[in-house]
Amino acid sequence: MSGGTGRLGEDYTAQWLISRGYRITAKNFHSRYGEIDIIAEDEKYIVFVEVKTRRSGGLVTPLEAVTPQKQRKILLTAQAYLAQHSSPLQPRFDVAAVTTVGGKPLGMKYYENAFGA
């Protein structure tokens, strides 16, 4: 997957979240443990979103690509974020699975509470 495809999926997901009342607080947040694609908030949750973008017909589904090792990196990175930006909100870990065709988003499956601490 090219960086452009990943960015396309992240932008698509960010717009989807905004349209549902979320505020994007960070994109591509890096720590020594890894990266979180999107961090968003609503009135109840601070949401750490892993975006997986795949071309239509791929062998591995986007959700399968979020392995236990990847989940651990996301959890540690979320802890690093919260150490820098304290929040009274409940953390939640979501996965957005974006499918593209011809370089354009075809659709997305969004999984709330895809994994936890």
Side-chain angles (χ1 to χ4, degrees):
M1 175 182 64
S2 72
T5 303
R7 180 77 58 201
L8 177 77
E10 290 170 13
D11 291 345
Y12 183 82
T13 302
Q15 289 305 313
W16 185 87
L17 287 163
I18 291 166
S19 75
R20 282 156 181 78
Y22 288 87
R23 183 172 65 88
I24 306 300
T25 58
K27 288 178 86 175
N28 305 114
F29 174 81
H30 290 270
S31 80
R32 67 186 201 153
Y33 306 108
E35 178 190 57
I36 295 176
D37 296 323
I38 299 171
I39 302 171
E41 296 179 349
D42 67 5
E43 62 281 343
K44 187 173 181 184
Y45 294 101
I46 181 166
V47 185
F48 300 94
V49 184
E50 175 67 10
V51 180
K52 288 297 180 188
T53 307
R54 297 288 184 266
R55 290 183 189 90
S56 181
L59 297 177
V60 177
T61 68
L63 194 57
E64 289 173 325
V66 184
T67 63
Q69 295 84 0
K70 180 68 173 173
Q71 291 174 23
R72 179 166 162 66
K73 288 180 179 181
I74 292 167
L75 290 168
L76 290 169
T77 303
Q79 289 175 345
Y81 179 85
L82 290 171
Q84 295 174 22
H85 309 86
S86 69
S87 173
L89 300 173
Q90 175 71 34
R92 191 177 79 204
F93 297 90
D94 296 357
V95 174
V98 179
T99 304
T100 64
V101 95
K104 297 190 187 310
L106 178 65
M108 177 177 66
K109 289 186 180 176
Y110 193 85
Y111 302 90
E112 288 186 4
N113 281 317
F115 59 93

